[in-house]
Amino acid sequence: MASGLKRGIVGLFDQGFSGLSNVLMVLTVANGLSPTSFGSFALAYAILTFLLTLSRSFFGTQLTLSHERSVAREQAHAAFGAIVIVSPLIILVVLGVGLSVNGTNHVGVTAVVALAAPIVCIQDVLRYAAVAVERPAAALISDISWTVIMAAAVVGLVRLHGAAILALWLGAAVFALVVCVIFLGVAPGLRAGSRLLRDRHVVAQSVTIGAIAISGAGLLVSIATTRFLGPAALGSLRGASAMMGPLNVLFAFVSLNLTPTLARRARARDLDFCVKLAAVVTVGIIAWASVLLLLPSSIGTHLLGRTWTGTRTVLPWTSLEYISLGIAATSTLWLRVRHAARSLLIRSLTYAGAVMLFGISAAQLGASATAVAIAGSAAAAISAITGWSQVLSNSYHRGQHRAARNGRRTLISASRTTVR
């Protein structure tokens, strides 16, 4: 019990440093680039995020649902090998989509993000593997090393601008990956990875399809925002997401750490656990959003440079979006540990449809990034409502089935007593 609590605390710290490294990276890049260049980076990073979500959903889901450490270690080797196999494709996707939208004006920015994409995907999957094999310290050390490097640039120990900042981020990603590989002791299993790419895992496929829909919808909204409102508008939205970034620690902790914990417990306690978790997550998000909304402009400008002006206008709506996403994440946890693949897919597709419909319409018809932020908030609210409707509906039907079974057992018992 004590060891499990210790691993949970280490996992929580790991999520904190992982989120912090990402926030520091965005702040560093935003300070070193013009709003337009940062918007081009934001688009390339949105493509990377799409691919990272795909990798995390397919490989990470299988790792978190592993019931034995030995199986999780085998899957870690396979997932490592699988991403190595598809790395050239990952790079080409980021380059191709990024250059087709941004053009060649910021080709260096897009190229650096493209090279970083497979490295980030591997390091992220190995973080899942570290938790699954009950060695979260490996992920923690890896993320601390990444954070320290990026923090050096933020506090001014390393003074870089433009492409040099992106090069620093790429180097930090490589170093963090090497650290994780050494402490976790895994190597890419190319044969196992090839098999893993062909294998079917019902829950992983459901989660992956849903993730593709959601992240793909977000990517299309980013492209539409760049096309209709300009790169600077997308930079404002990316800046707001970065400011809310520490809250991603909560979301990742629910997915990465609480899924295997809850999966190995009795199912009767799931609903009570998820309701309490939803309350805790909501309070945490409101507290952080309040801090950001009261942040003086001088501090905001110091953190995001000229991008802060646009970011400040969309922050209230981004805050509402994150509240809904936090509530939705707790319903996803309940559905995932019960292997409710169909419900997960329906929820994901509903959310993706709302993101795409609202977001693209807002980008095309709205006058600023604020309209897109409002659309994202509305779509997230639909996701939360859909997810918890599924949870309550499934719980109600399960209760009815249980009552019916108990009733049949009572009748059978009574009939036996009468015969005697």
Side-chain angles (χ1 to χ4, degrees):
M1 184 71 176
S3 61
L5 178 61
K6 182 179 178 180
R7 287 193 298 269
I9 294 174
V10 173
L12 181 59
F13 274 101
D14 172 53
Q15 296 306 323
F17 278 102
S18 176
L20 180 59
S21 66
N22 180 64
V23 172
L24 291 176
M25 180 272 295
V26 174
L27 296 180
T28 304
V29 175
N31 261 303
L33 299 177
S34 67
T36 302
S37 297
F38 179 66
S40 297
F41 165 81
L43 178 63
Y45 195 75
I47 304 167
L48 182 154
T49 302
F50 169 75
L51 296 171
L52 177 64
T53 302
L54 174 60
S55 169
R56 179 180 294 173
S57 301
F58 185 74
F59 302 118
T61 297
Q62 297 183 59
L63 284 165
T64 55
L65 291 177
S66 301
H67 291 280
E68 296 180 7
R69 281 180 290 179
S70 59
V71 175
R73 181 164 287 277
E74 292 176 0
Q75 289 181 332
H77 287 285
F80 194 169
I83 299 177
V84 169
I85 292 172
V86 300
S87 287
L89 179 61
I90 292 175
I91 294 173
L92 288 175
V93 168
V94 177
L95 273 176
V97 178
L99 294 179
S100 66
V101 178
N102 280 331
T104 58
N105 294 330
H106 304 99
V107 63
V109 171
T110 305
V112 172
V113 177
L115 291 174
I119 298 169
V120 173
C121 288
I122 294 172
Q123 195 266 353
D124 183 72
V125 165
L126 292 186
R127 290 176 55 244
Y128 276 71
V131 174
V133 301
E134 299 181 1
R135 294 188 61 183
L140 176 60
I141 296 172
S142 173
D143 285 321
I144 287 177
S145 64
W146 197 335
T147 302
V148 168
I149 295 174
M150 298 312 302
V154 171
V155 300
L157 297 178
V158 179
R159 297 187 180 278
L160 299 172
H161 296 280
I165 292 178
L166 296 177
L168 176 68
W169 170 59
L170 177 59
V174 173
F175 185 74
L177 173 59
V178 171
V179 169
C180 194
V181 168
I182 292 174
F183 280 90
L184 193 57
V186 297
L190 299 181
R191 286 188 177 182
S194 179
R195 289 194 301 270
L196 183 59
L197 290 171
R198 299 192 302 268
D199 287 346
R200 295 190 61 187
H201 188 285
V202 177
V203 177
Q205 285 185 337
S206 175
V207 172
T208 302
I209 292 172
I212 290 174
I214 294 172
S215 189
L219 179 57
L220 291 176
V221 172
S222 297
I223 293 173
T225 301
T226 303
R227 287 288 193 187
F228 296 117
L229 300 175
L234 181 61
S236 298
L237 294 170
R238 177 68 249 180
S241 296
M243 298 300 286
M244 301 295 291
L247 296 175
N248 291 328
V249 174
L250 289 175
F251 300 160
F253 183 72
V254 170
S255 174
L256 179 58
N257 295 84
L258 294 185
T259 297
T261 299
L262 198 61
R264 296 166 189 174
R265 296 173 58 182
R267 299 279 69 81
R269 301 170 62 185
D270 289 348
L271 183 59
D272 182 61
F273 180 87
C274 289
V275 168
K276 292 178 180 177
L277 180 63
V280 172
V281 168
T282 301
V283 171
I285 295 173
I286 292 175
W288 179 249
S290 300
V291 171
L292 294 181
L293 293 174
L294 296 175
L295 198 68
S297 296
S298 58
I299 297 178
T301 302
H302 176 73
L303 294 173
L304 283 174
R306 287 172 289 172
T307 301
W308 170 253
T309 301
T311 294
R312 181 65 183 83
T313 62
V314 303
L315 261 177
W317 299 103
T318 305
S319 300
L320 292 177
E321 178 185 6
Y322 267 71
I323 291 173
S324 295
L325 290 177
I327 296 173
T330 56
S331 67
T332 300
L333 175 63
W334 190 94
L335 295 169
R336 182 177 294 163
V337 297
R338 290 174 175 270
H339 294 253
R342 184 172 178 271
S343 295
L344 285 169
L345 182 58
I346 291 173
R347 200 291 308 270
S348 297
L349 293 179
T350 301
Y351 177 46
V355 168
M356 189 163 55
L357 177 62
F358 298 167
I360 294 178
S361 299
Q364 187 172 10
L365 303 175
S368 66
T370 303
V372 181
I374 294 173
S377 177
I382 290 176
S383 175
I385 293 171
T386 302
W388 274 100
S389 295
Q390 290 173 325
V391 169
L392 297 177
S393 176
N394 287 337
S395 299
Y396 174 75
H397 289 305
R398 287 175 183 271
Q400 281 191 322
H401 291 321
R402 190 179 299 111
R405 286 197 303 269
N406 292 337
R408 286 195 295 270
R409 289 172 183 170
T410 302
L411 288 174
I412 293 172
S413 176
S415 63
R416 288 176 178 172
T417 303
T418 302
V419 170
R420 289 174 185 171

